[in-house]
């Protein structure tokens, strides 16, 4: 038995020592390109890179293997989604590397994530998170016969506030490969402070960092009904007092262990039957509706480009009223959608 355990440990260490080699391999870089260009094949910078694809990929491989790779600068711009967000876009070369990195290291962390971490993971997403929330609330309320309290919390300016040293320390707990950690440090330190919105690596790093909060919630607070989507998380309980008391504990944990802060204006504790606003929907015990702000934005901006995505969104909630309004403003060429949910 002891010999078998030693063999498994040796194999595990051998695998970890090859992380950098696996990231920079030509096979991985070309596979990462296939994933990266999906949905972007007509963009000018992508077309320019692809015009000399083999030369560019081989050059990137040589820089990485020679230890001379340096992350390039970012292009900055703003988007309204719906609130104004400051986006930083890396070059195609660097974004290709981000995909190559995530392809190799994500499986190392994925197995440590809790089930109820719903952001940027395969088989997860906002709609499934909302479905899960409603199932937990319905079960906890004994089919609507008991009051369920919901504590909704948010990390203040999360991406801009991430402590890069803390992040690298957390990454290093699973990646025991000096070259791989050197590359990750180059990516992380290649941004002045925090993490850039828009990087694929930032999505994974966000889950790595906040997995510490997830584990604290589950193992230290013993929270049976806890869900997180990026930096937005909720606790459900029959005890209002218990949830109220946990606010200070969560605040202290974030400050002490992750050097992050709760958003003081987004601490919400209310009964589920009064409607809980989370991830774009207001959820009630037996149905959900869109946020008022989302409805207004949809009606104001409906056009040929976003019509189909709006229809897809409305499938997930009570939609009769806004559906009828959208019918009146549907773009030319679209027939009326199916019966709206009342």
């Amino acid at each position: 038995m002891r010999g078998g355990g030693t063999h498994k440990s040796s194999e595990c260490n051998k695998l970890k020592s090859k992380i950098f080699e696996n990231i920079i391999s030509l096979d991985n870089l070309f596979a990462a390109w296939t994933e990266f260009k999906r949905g972007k094949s007509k963009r000018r910078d992508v077309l320019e890179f692809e015009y000399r694809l083999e030369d560019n990929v081989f050059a990137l491989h040589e820089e990485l293997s020679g230890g001379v790779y340096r992350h390039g600068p970012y292009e900055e711009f703003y988007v309204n989604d719906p609130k104004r967000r400051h986006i930083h876009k890396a070059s195609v070369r660097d974004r290709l590397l981000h995909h190559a990195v995530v392809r190799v290291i994500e499986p190392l962390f994925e197995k440590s994530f809790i089930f109820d971490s719903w952001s940027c993971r395969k088989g997860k997403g906002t709609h499934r998170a909302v479905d899960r929330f409603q199932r937990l609330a319905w079960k906890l309320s004994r089919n609507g016969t008991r009051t369920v309290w919901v504590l909704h919390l948010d990390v203040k300016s999360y991406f801009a506030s991430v402590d890069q040293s803390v992040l690298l320390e957390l990454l290093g707990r699973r990646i025991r490969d000096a070259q791989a950690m050197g590359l990750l440090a180059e990516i992380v330190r290649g941004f002045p402070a925090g993490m850039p919105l828009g990087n694929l690596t930032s999505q994974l790093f966000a889950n790595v960092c906040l997995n510490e909060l997830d584990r604290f919630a589950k193992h230290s607070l013993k929270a049976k009904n806890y869900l997180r989507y990026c930096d937005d998380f909720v606790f459900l309980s029959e005890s209002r007092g218990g949830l109220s008391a946990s606010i200070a504990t969560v605040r202290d944990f974030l400050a002490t262990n992750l050097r992050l802060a709760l958003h003081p204006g987004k601490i919400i504790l209310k009964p589920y039957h009064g409607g809980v606003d989370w991830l774009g929907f207001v959820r009630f015990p037996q149905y959900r509706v869109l946020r008022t702000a989302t409805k207004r934005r949809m009606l104001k901006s409906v056009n040929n480009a976003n019509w189909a995505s709006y229809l897809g969104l409305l499938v997930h909630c009570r939609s009769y009223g806004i559906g009828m309004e959208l019918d009146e403003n549907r773009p030319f060429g679209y027939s009326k959608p199916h019966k709206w949910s009342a």
Side-chain angles (χ1 to χ4, degrees):
M1 292 293 291
R2 185 175 301 173
T6 302
H7 176 71
K8 288 182 179 179
S9 176
S10 175
E11 287 298 314
C12 183
N13 290 333
K14 185 177 180 181
L15 176 63
K16 288 180 179 178
S17 69
K18 289 186 176 182
I19 293 175
F20 180 75
E21 180 182 326
N22 292 336
I23 290 172
I24 73 166
S25 73
L26 289 170
D27 283 347
N28 188 51
L29 290 173
F30 278 109
W33 172 258
T34 299
E35 293 179 2
F36 165 74
K37 75 171 185 176
R38 196 170 294 137
K40 309 182 188 75
S41 58
K42 294 183 180 180
R43 296 180 184 176
R44 182 174 178 178
D45 55 351
V46 175
L47 287 170
E48 289 176 349
F49 191 92
E50 190 169 38
Y51 183 71
R52 299 185 61 194
L53 180 61
E54 290 192 1
D55 289 343
N56 288 326
V57 171
F58 273 86
L60 175 59
H61 171 76
E62 289 175 7
E63 286 184 38
L64 290 164
S65 61
V68 296
Y69 168 82
R70 295 295 178 268
H71 198 286
Y74 286 84
E75 174 190 350
E76 300 181 42
F77 56 95
Y78 290 87
V79 298
N80 295 310
D81 184 32
K83 66 181 180 180
R84 189 171 173 82
R85 295 182 184 275
H86 194 187
I87 305 296
H88 293 81
K89 180 181 176 182
S91 68
V92 171
R93 160 185 171 271
D94 292 328
R95 283 182 286 155
L96 168 58
L97 177 62
H98 299 166
H99 277 256
V101 166
V102 170
R103 280 176 53 81
V104 173
I105 73 169
E106 185 174 43
L108 301 177
F109 291 96
E110 177 64 31
K111 57 190 175 184
S112 72
F113 295 157
I114 67 168
F115 178 82
D116 282 310
S117 167
W118 291 91
S119 175
C120 303
R121 297 174 64 195
K122 293 177 181 177
K124 303 288 184 174
T126 55
H127 297 309
R128 291 187 178 183
V130 170
D131 289 342
R132 170 71 168 169
F133 175 95
Q134 289 198 280
R135 285 196 299 271
L136 289 177
W138 188 247
K139 181 179 179 181
L140 191 60
S141 70
R142 307 285 178 87
N143 300 338
T145 62
R146 294 190 178 186
T147 299
V148 171
W149 291 88
V150 180
L151 174 61
H152 182 190
L153 302 172
D154 193 297
V155 178
K156 183 180 179 181
S157 303
Y158 176 63
F159 281 87
S161 301
V162 166
D163 186 291
Q164 294 181 347
S165 296
V166 170
L167 172 60
L168 288 170
E169 193 274 328
L170 292 174
L171 289 169
R173 290 181 187 178
R174 287 191 174 271
I175 299 178
R176 308 293 178 81
D177 180 321
Q179 286 181 295
M181 281 305 302
L183 178 58
L184 293 181
E186 176 63 29
I187 293 172
V188 171
R189 302 290 191 192
F191 193 68
M195 295 191 302
L197 280 170
N199 276 9
L200 183 66
T201 47
S202 294
Q203 297 174 8
L204 173 60
F205 294 165
N207 278 334
V208 170
C209 190
L210 291 177
N211 185 50
E212 299 301 300
L213 170 65
D214 298 341
R215 295 171 68 83
F216 175 75
K218 288 291 188 181
H219 302 305
S220 297
L221 296 182
K222 307 296 183 183
K224 295 181 180 179
N225 301 287
Y226 161 89
L227 305 92
R228 180 181 61 80
Y229 188 94
C230 196
D231 59 337
D232 197 341
F233 52 104
V234 292
F235 295 84
L236 298 89
S237 174
E238 295 177 88
S239 170
R240 183 186 190 282
L243 290 180
S244 181
S246 69
I247 296 172
T249 308
V250 171
R251 181 188 290 115
D252 290 345
F253 175 83
L254 287 172
T256 302
N257 294 274
L258 299 176
R259 300 177 189 169
L260 296 170
L262 284 179
H263 195 304
K266 295 184 178 180
I267 299 175
I268 301 170
L269 178 57
K270 64 184 298 185
Y272 179 50
H273 64 254
V276 175
D277 188 339
W278 191 51
L279 302 183
F281 296 94
V282 180
R283 281 149 299 285
F284 294 89
Q286 295 183 345
Y287 64 94
R288 71 187 73 154
V289 296
L290 282 177
R291 287 176 180 160
T292 300
T294 304
K295 295 177 185 177
R296 290 173 180 165
R297 190 167 66 254
M298 288 175 68
L299 292 172
K300 182 179 179 180
S301 62
V302 62
N303 56 44
N304 283 302
N306 57 30
W307 177 254
S309 64
Y310 285 172
L311 298 187
L313 180 63
L314 293 177
V315 167
H316 298 277
C317 65
R318 179 173 287 186
S319 54
Y320 183 80
I322 188 172
M324 295 300 290
E325 290 187 66
L326 282 175
D327 275 351
E328 298 300 320
N329 296 279
R330 66 186 183 278
F332 177 77
Y334 282 89
S335 60
K336 282 192 176 183
H338 295 293
K339 182 179 179 181
W340 300 105
S341 174

